[in-house]
Amino acid sequence: APEEPLLQIENITAGYGAAPVLHDVTLTVPPGAIVAVLGANGAGKTTLLRTVSGLLRPSSGVVRLSGQDLARVPVEHRVRRGMAHVPEGRGVVAELTVDENLRLGGLWRTDRRDARRALDEVYALFDPLARRRGHAGHQLSGGERQMLAIGRALVARPRLLLLDEPSLGLAPRVTAQLMGLLAGLRDDTGLAVLLVEQNVRSALSVADRGVVMSLGRVVRESDAAQLRDDDALRHAYLGF
Ligand code: ATP
């Protein structure tokens, strides 16, 4: 039998007021896959992640994690079910140190020993963070802040990472490094990622699948390699 999707988004319609932003959006994330969500400004990518993480309630449709309908799982419990959201703008606490920020990600965990282990793993993965444990969030570079936000999510040991525009404001070299780390986590730990990116090239460099959104609808879903090679599609929706 085919593997059950880790995340199933089925016919989601959602928005902020009377007029929906998302129209009948359906997509799936298999376990251990990186799925890139692409599309122009305002296509609804951020809104989609907010709907999955529970910050926004859809007016219709279903979101399932490992087959379970999330409608009755409150936002703060979704992380316990294996889902972690790194919002656009990162949400690092500027006044807290790197170490304190990372610990926030594991506060809710009852297995203290494993929370400690997860923290050490994040430091092993993100070398710049290990060297700046005692630095305050506001002292970090943009790339380091992005690592910290992702690291904090990883301390919760998610199966699914919802990642919004991680390349925003980062130098190309740092973005490439970050994408490499995501691919490594997928390959080594089976982490799945729903990756929202304006930076199409870097997203498709690591993604297994790609979803193209336009005006709140999914207009294409296919292997990342096919999207990379589809000139007409890239011109029409992705701007290069
Ligand atoms: P971006 O990369 O600019 O964030 P996006 O594809 O993520 O683009 P969304 O941020 O999801 O797009 O925005 C989709 C639409 O929803 C836009 O028309 C936007 O104006 C609208 N929108 C987003 N946030 C809100 C909000 N809090 N209240 C009302 N409308 C909103």
Side-chain angles (χ1 to χ4, degrees):
E3 212 170 4
E4 179 180 54
L6 179 59
L7 180 71
Q8 279 173 286
I9 298 168
E10 292 171 11
N11 309 105
I12 286 289
T13 295
Y16 302 93
V21 170
L22 301 177
H23 304 271
D24 202 25
V25 170
T26 293
L27 66 93
T28 63
V29 179
I34 298 179
V35 176
V37 180
L38 311 169
N41 255 323
K45 306 181 299 296
T46 294
T47 302
L48 178 66
L49 283 197
R50 293 170 59 85
T51 306
V52 173
S53 72
L55 295 173
L56 197 62
R57 186 184 291 274
S59 53
S60 63
V62 184
V63 180
R64 292 182 212 280
L65 189 69
S66 297
Q68 186 191 27
D69 184 350
L70 289 180
R72 285 191 184 73
V73 180
V75 181
E76 63 273 20
H77 286 177
R78 293 188 187 198
V79 66
R80 296 167 202 248
R81 307 289 170 96
M83 204 166 79
H85 185 192
V86 182
E88 204 174 358
R90 297 149 198 181
V92 161
V93 185
E95 295 77 18
L96 296 184
T97 65
V98 166
D99 209 61
E100 289 163 343
N101 267 285
L102 287 179
R103 283 167 195 279
L104 283 182
L107 274 186
W108 58 276
R109 300 193 57 198
T110 50
D111 186 344
R112 301 311 307 165
R113 187 177 298 192
D114 188 63
R116 177 74 243 170
R117 207 157 36 220
L119 199 70
D120 289 338
E121 286 170 20
V122 167
Y123 281 132
L125 197 61
F126 298 112
D127 190 46
L129 296 184
R131 286 186 270 116
R132 289 173 179 71
R133 282 170 205 241
H135 289 213
H138 66 80
Q139 296 177 294
L140 304 181
S141 70
E144 289 162 356
R145 275 182 222 200
Q146 188 61 65
M147 288 178 201
L148 182 52
I150 294 173
R152 187 170 61 192
L154 292 177
V155 170
R157 290 210 188 284
R159 287 175 293 153
L160 175 68
L161 195 58
L162 308 172
L163 205 48
D164 201 348
E165 298 278 6
S167 77
L168 205 70
L170 301 188
R173 182 183 48 80
V174 180
T175 299
Q177 188 187 4
L178 207 56
M179 294 299 149
L181 284 167
L182 288 180
L185 283 166
R186 169 197 58 196
D187 297 343
D188 299 343
T189 72
L191 180 71
V193 184
L194 189 58
L195 172 65
V196 162
E197 261 300 339
Q198 300 255 16
N199 189 334
V200 176
R201 283 172 201 274
S202 61
L204 289 181
S205 73
V206 291
D208 302 290
R209 307 227 358 121
V211 174
V212 181
M213 290 184 67
S214 178
L215 302 174
R217 292 174 203 277
V218 172
V219 293
R220 176 78 181 268
E221 183 180 5
S222 68
D223 284 346
Q226 277 174 13
L227 289 179
R228 277 195 294 268
D229 297 339
D230 189 334
D231 292 335
L233 179 99
R234 292 208 325 265
H235 291 313
Y237 295 108
L238 305 175
F240 74 97

